[in-house]
Amino acid sequence: MPLERQLTPEQQHATGLDTLSPAQLELLNRLLRERAEAGAATAAANTAAADGDVSAASRGTTASREPPPDLEIRTIKARLKGKVEGWAPGTEFRLDNGQTWKVLKGEITLRKPLESPEILVVPGLAGRWFLQVDEDYPKARVYRVD
């Protein structure tokens, strides 16, 4: 969710967020999003390493690691609001659950438009997310904007 939506107007003023130009605000939001994605990548690496620790424990060795911060990453099943004819980088999808996802990579024009299709938003490696409209179409790489 963009930083300006997380803070009250008073908090934005107190932190100086309200003095940033639109370009500065966009850059700040992108940097924070990339940092969050990097944190998710670290969590995934820790999970993979922890899976390897099971075999180490069976050999009588131990390893000390903190648990990943988010063990509850799951596929999101929802319905898109409105008609979908395709997507390209920058396309935003609004879901019936209130979430908005924006295409980062991937482009397609559908053979025929779909009206409010049921979709999946699937977690990938390193904190990446993919939106699947239909299993016969390629997935779009997306990130959440709200």
Side-chain angles (χ1 to χ4, degrees), residues 38 41 45 54 70 72-73 92 137 142:
V54 172
D70 185 7
E72 296 293 321
I73 296 176
E92 288 191 3
Y137 296 125
V142 295

Side-chain angles (χ1 to χ4, degrees), residues 24-98:
Q24 290 172 317
L25 189 56
E26 182 179 341
L27 175 61
L28 179 58
N29 280 317
R30 182 175 57 81
L31 293 172
L32 291 171
R33 185 177 62 253
E34 288 173 356
R35 183 174 179 185
E37 289 175 357
T42 300
N46 287 345
T47 300
D51 289 344
D53 288 346
V54 172
S55 60
S58 66
R59 292 190 309 265
T61 60
T62 60
S64 173
R65 286 191 174 79
E66 292 182 19
D70 185 7
L71 295 174
E72 296 293 321
I73 296 176
R74 295 197 178 126
T75 297
I76 299 165
K77 187 175 183 179
R79 190 167 289 280
L80 291 178
K81 289 185 172 183
K83 182 168 55 170
V84 179
E85 297 178 352
W87 57 85
T91 302
E92 288 191 3
F93 291 106
R94 287 176 179 44
L95 309 184
D96 62 355
N97 66 6

